[in-house]
Amino acid sequence: MASKIIPAAGGIVWRKAGPDGIEVLLVHRPDYDDWTFPKGKADPDEPLPVTAVREIAEETGYRVRLVHPLPEITYRVRGGIKQVSWWVARPLDDHSDFRPNQEVDEVRWFAPRAARKRLTYSHDRRLLESFEDLVALKAHKARTLIVLRHAKAVPRAEFVGGDADRPLASAGHDRAKELVPLLTAFGVRRVVSSPATRTVQTVDPYVAATGELLEVDDRLAESASEAKVDRAVEALLGTKRPTVACTHRPTLPAVYASLGISGPVLPAGRGLVVHHRKGQVLASELI
């Protein structure tokens, strides 16, 4: 019989230390008397990026945003195989609400060399090596652009009116609400949308939850030319703030071409998280 897969997620949280150095955050668990990176099991139906941010907050008291994926790690535990998804993460501020508890009794920042000596498990040390490889490429400072296809809309045949006014279906509104914690996990602070009602409604719940300003850009419209899409993407890549851009399925190929990638055909309400630096795509992942 196949072993049960136990999904989990966590992160290597880092901060600047001095003019050129960095530090990473480790936690001490008294039940195991070990030092490790913050992580934990996913709740039922919880997206793994949301799990990572939640578990980091619960174990360390820091609110973070995810910056770049790290290799998945699997290992055997009592009850099955733990499958852990990892991200590089940055604190949103310097404040921590950490209080020692039964699960984690100490949280401490270490320089990577000191962290390697303190980490209990070899798989954590391998993960740290992957992080240091990203640091060498400055990929730990990657910027985030989420290319989002609007959620499920009312079918064209069932809507009386112009296509630009076609709204989301009930399932689309549900998906728009589900996107709020996902976009939050990546720290989205800039929200851009095609002017179509269905794209605006897809990001509306996030705008309402965060108070971020909604920017409408007709260069992301379904009918936009490749030249217009290219200019829109250039502007999106130029911002430092983590950004979501909501557009349409027919517009996606032009967006990918402007990014210099071969991206997937996104299902309705799904996104591609593009991690980039200086105009170059470093990694991407589906949400």
Side-chain angles (χ1 to χ4, degrees):
M1 185 173 64
S3 298
K4 178 183 178 181
I5 299 297
I6 303 170
I12 294 186
V13 185
W14 75 274
R15 69 178 184 184
K16 293 181 180 179
D20 301 312
I22 63 172
E23 294 177 326
V24 297
L25 193 60
L26 303 188
V27 299
H28 181 262
R29 303 185 299 176
D31 284 352
Y32 303 95
D33 190 23
D34 62 3
W35 285 92
T36 185
F37 295 113
K39 65 180 182 303
K41 292 187 292 186
D43 289 339
D45 300 320
E46 183 179 47
L48 290 171
V50 178
T51 301
V53 170
R54 176 181 58 77
E55 285 290 338
I56 290 169
E58 291 178 359
E59 292 196 350
T60 72
Y62 283 99
R63 296 185 309 117
V64 303
R65 63 179 177 89
L66 306 182
V67 176
H68 194 290
L70 286 164
E72 182 182 88
I73 290 179
T74 60
Y75 52 91
R76 184 170 293 280
V77 295
R78 183 179 300 174
I81 302 294
K82 181 168 282 190
Q83 186 171 288
V84 190
S85 296
W86 291 96
W87 282 268
V88 176
R90 294 202 69 175
L92 295 177
D93 52 49
D94 296 330
H95 177 69
S96 170
D97 293 324
F98 175 73
R99 297 290 185 276
N101 55 73
Q102 289 185 335
E103 186 175 356
V104 175
D105 63 353
E106 188 176 356
V107 171
R108 193 185 303 178
W109 292 97
F110 292 91
R113 180 177 296 182
R116 188 179 301 106
K117 295 178 180 178
R118 186 59 63 99
L119 286 166
T120 302
Y121 305 109
S122 59
H123 57 76
D124 280 344
R125 290 190 288 273
R126 291 194 300 272
L127 188 69
L128 180 61
E129 289 175 3
S130 296
F131 170 74
E132 290 180 295
D133 289 341
L134 292 179
V135 172
L137 299 172
K138 299 190 183 300
H140 65 307
K141 297 181 179 180
R143 298 179 183 180
T144 301
L145 169 62
I146 301 177
V147 179
L148 180 65
R149 180 184 170 187
H150 68 77
K152 184 175 178 59
V154 171
R156 297 176 195 268
E158 297 177 14
F159 179 69
V160 178
D163 185 64
D165 298 322
R166 189 158 51 94
L168 293 183
S170 177
H173 283 291
D174 290 342
R175 176 58 182 169
K177 294 174 184 176
E178 293 171 356
L179 285 167
V180 174
L182 269 168
L183 299 180
T184 300
F186 291 96
V188 167
R189 292 183 52 216
R190 186 182 180 197
V191 184
V192 185
S193 172
S194 153
T197 297
R198 55 192 180 275
T199 55
V200 170
Q201 288 182 337
T202 299
V203 293
D204 261 348
Y206 186 78
V207 170
T210 63
E212 297 294 345
L213 177 69
L214 172 62
E215 302 176 38
V216 174
D217 191 339
D218 61 8
R219 297 174 300 183
L220 295 174
E222 187 168 346
S223 59
S225 67
E226 292 183 3
K228 286 186 175 181
V229 173
D230 193 56
R231 289 195 292 273
V233 171
E234 182 180 6
L236 293 168
L237 292 177
T239 184
K240 293 182 178 180
R241 291 174 293 167
T243 299
V244 60
C246 190
T247 186
H248 307 260
R249 181 190 58 78
T251 314
L252 290 174
V255 172
Y256 296 152
S258 297
L259 290 169
I261 63 174
S262 177
V265 178
L266 296 172
R270 302 292 168 172
L272 184 71
V273 184
V274 177
H275 306 278
H276 62 95
R277 180 172 170 80
K278 295 186 176 180
Q280 298 297 314
V281 174
L282 306 175
S284 64
E285 54 186 315
L286 293 169
I287 58 169

